[in-house]
Structures are given as C-alpha cells and as structure tokens.
Amino acid sequence: MKLQKVILYYGFTPLADPEAIHRWQRTLCEHLGLKGRILLSTHGINGTLGGDMSALKKYVRQTKQYPGFRHIDFKWSDGVGSEFSRLRIRVRDEIVSFGAPGELKVDENGVIGGGIHLEPRQVHELVASRGDDVVFFDARNSFEAKIGRFKNAIVPGVQNTRDFVHELESGKYDQLKDRPIVTYCTGGIRCEVLTSVMKNRGFSEVYQIKGGIVRYGERYGDRGLWEGSLYLFDDRMHHEFSTEAKVIGTCERCDAPTSQYYNCANLACRKLILLCASCEQENLSKNCTEAHADFR
Ligand SMILES: [Zn+2]
Ligand SMILES: [Zn+2]
C-alpha cells in the first residue's frame, strides 16, 4: 500500500453556490479515491480526508484552484488508510454547528469580527507579558479535554458545539469579559466561530491559536503549555505529540490512567466511554451505566 496520510482543513469564504462546489468536490474525491468528510455552507468548507499521499497532494492542488480556497492551511498527519470507511460530502447551514448560522459573517478574508489569530510563539509571548491574567478557554466538547488540554484551561461544560451559545449567556464566565482569553480547538475551525460568538457577547480581548492544538503541538510538543493527548474524530481516536506525553485521562470504571475512548458496546447507546485496556477487555456492555442514560 502507498504511503497513507490524513489532511484536516477549513476555509471561511463566501460560497454563493455550495451545491456546485459539492458536485465538483465529489467528482474530485471519487476520482482520487479519497475517503472522509466534507461540510459545505454559504460560509465555506470544512474537511478531513484520508488516502494516498500522492492523491491527497493532487486534491490540495486542485482545491486551491478555487480562488476562495487559495489560502487554506492544510494540516497533514500520518494515516494507516482505514481512518474513514466512506466519503461523505454535505451541504449544511453551518460548517461548524453552533446553531447560529445567522450570526456568523464572512468575507474573502475569513470570519468577520473573530478573535485575533496568534501563532504558537505569540501565545507564549502573550503569557510572558500578561502572566496569570491570560485565560485558556477550551473550544471543544468537554469529553475531548478529559484526555488533553492546556494547563489550567477553562473547560466549558458542553456536550457539543451547539451548547456554547447558551453556556456563554449563562453568566458563568462574565468575570472573564475583560481578561485576555485564548481559545483553542483541534485545528482552529471551532475557534473561528466561537471567538466571534464571544465578542458579540461582550468578551473584549479574545485570541485564538492559529492552526489550533495541531500546529501548537507541532511547534512545542509536550514541552510547552499543552498537556496530554489530542482527541481525534476518526478511527485513530487520539494523538500524542511525543513519547513524553502525559496521560491525564482516567478510566471511567477503575480510575486507571488512559487516553483511549471506545464506543459503548450497547448498540443502542454507542456513547463514547473512556476505559483502560483491562476494563476494555471485559464485557463492554456492562459499561453502559447511568452515565449513559441520556442516550438511551
Ligand atoms: Zn479501568
Ligand atoms: Zn452506553
């Protein structure tokens, strides 16, 4: 088998006819034998694809031919070829589901009114100059942060991205409205929307890490402000930046350290469950407990 890779990318740009982009992208991906997921809306594109490195390179070159996609930052990682079982391309109201499609404004330069983008190096400069005043704010679902997060970060209690608007309007974070806030997520896309949602609600000094945890980890590995594993939304499930990565997650049954999520073996549930290797060996359906009740 040829060298397998995975790409992760997004671009916020006005798309007058996302259905036409859909047809073009489908033909392109099928022709190149790529699998994965692409979401399109009038605000842009959000994708993660796996396949042969040579095919992915062709995909990137072709996709950049479209003027609005010329500046997209494609993030590459190693794959094994089985990350995705099929190709799914969809046109939706939003490319990240915040439940606020009418609020987001984009132009050729991306999201209008979002947070200031910081390179990983600039994140450290901000912390050096502002010290403990700087707040790291996790822009992901809370379960992702269980296995990895920035040190001392605030992890909002959200099950999915749709909960953020309500969470921010709850008043819980009002004392942060005048502090420097650095949001972060896997590759940066969720921060693009979250920072604009935050600024619209009175958070005055909002930054986002350019390229997300992926780019930060490439630069600083486990020797910076990040701690633990990065949760991934494909069959790999998690990624460590080095052999020095700390294991900060704990098994939901026995509290042993682990970074491995599994789908609940109860087919009617399938909720993600964080387990150590030995608890995973036992009958997994036993693990479908009260904590999964909301999924039953
Ligand atoms: Zn265990
Ligand atoms: Zn369950």
Side-chain angles (χ1 to χ4, degrees):
M1 194 163 65
K2 293 183 199 159
L3 189 58
Q4 299 295 301
K5 293 279 180 182
V6 175
I7 53 171
L8 178 74
Y9 61 95
Y10 68 85
F12 283 98
T13 189
L15 297 181
D17 188 356
E19 293 291 350
I21 303 284
H22 181 189
R23 290 190 291 276
W24 164 53
Q25 285 281 308
R26 174 165 294 285
T27 307
L28 180 61
C29 290
E30 285 176 351
H31 174 70
L32 293 168
L34 302 176
K35 288 178 178 165
R37 194 187 72 139
I38 297 174
L39 292 177
L40 295 157
S41 80
T42 54
H43 296 139
I45 186 168
N46 172 18
T48 174
L49 294 172
D52 294 347
M53 183 160 84
S54 57
L56 285 167
K57 280 187 172 167
K58 284 179 192 147
Y59 172 84
V60 169
R61 211 176 309 134
Q62 293 280 320
T63 296
K64 284 191 168 189
Q65 298 281 316
Y66 183 79
F69 297 160
R70 194 177 302 144
H71 301 294
I72 287 180
D73 175 23
F74 289 86
K75 299 170 192 76
W76 291 76
S77 59
D78 292 333
V80 293
S82 63
E83 287 79 13
F84 308 100
S85 53
R86 59 200 181 108
L87 177 67
R88 291 177 62 191
I89 308 182
R90 300 272 187 276
V91 175
R92 294 266 169 81
D93 286 345
E94 299 173 290
I95 54 172
V96 202
S97 296
F98 273 78
E103 188 174 328
L104 190 69
K105 301 278 180 284
V106 306
D107 66 14
E108 307 69 43
N109 300 312
V111 172
I112 300 169
I116 296 166
H117 293 84
L118 298 180
E119 300 282 353
R121 170 184 55 79
Q122 294 174 306
V123 174
H124 285 204
E125 287 168 6
L126 183 71
V127 171
S129 66
R130 308 285 292 277
D132 289 344
D133 206 27
V134 177
V135 178
F136 285 85
F137 196 89
D138 205 303
R140 302 172 300 161
N141 309 316
S142 57
F143 78 86
E144 296 172 70
K146 280 188 182 166
I147 62 169
R149 56 187 174 260
F150 276 84
K151 288 169 194 163
N152 303 317
I154 288 178
V155 178
V158 299
Q159 301 259 356
N160 64 58
T161 313
R162 287 180 171 274
D163 296 340
F164 269 115
V165 169
H166 180 260
E167 181 80 357
L168 289 169
E169 290 176 351
S170 70
K172 269 188 222 174
Y173 308 103
D174 283 1
Q175 76 284 4
L176 304 177
K177 284 188 170 173
D178 294 317
R179 287 177 63 183
I181 295 174
V182 179
T183 73
Y184 63 89
C185 64
T186 313
I189 185 170
R190 287 178 274 183
C191 292
E192 299 278 1
V193 183
L194 179 66
T195 57
S196 79
V197 166
M198 290 179 87
K199 287 180 69 182
N200 288 346
R201 283 159 185 76
F203 293 83
S204 57
E205 190 178 356
V206 186
Y207 304 90
Q208 53 186 315
I209 302 183
K210 196 174 177 186
I213 301 160
V214 171
R215 286 277 183 256
Y216 182 90
E218 284 172 3
R219 175 71 178 79
Y220 290 107
D222 296 297
R223 294 169 176 221
L225 303 168
W226 171 260
E227 202 166 68
S229 300
L230 172 61
Y231 180 81
L232 296 172
F233 287 91
D234 60 51
D235 285 353
R236 294 172 297 177
M237 303 296 269
H238 59 91
H239 172 74
E240 287 71 43
F241 293 111
S242 76
T243 52
E244 294 163 41
K246 255 194 191 177
V247 180
I248 66 168
T250 52
C251 175
E252 290 180 27
R253 289 190 68 200
C254 77
D255 286 336
T258 181
S259 299
Q260 186 66 51
Y261 273 102
Y262 298 90
N263 284 110
C264 180
N266 175 354
L267 293 175
C269 174
R270 300 306 275 168
K271 191 178 173 174
L272 284 168
I273 177 167
L274 190 55
L275 291 174
C276 72
S278 61
C279 288
E280 193 269 334
Q281 290 300 310
E282 296 175 42
N283 181 1
L284 271 171
S285 61
K286 277 198 311 213
N287 297 316
C288 194
T289 56
E290 287 309 308
H292 295 189
D294 51 335
F295 279 74
R296 282 195 232 143

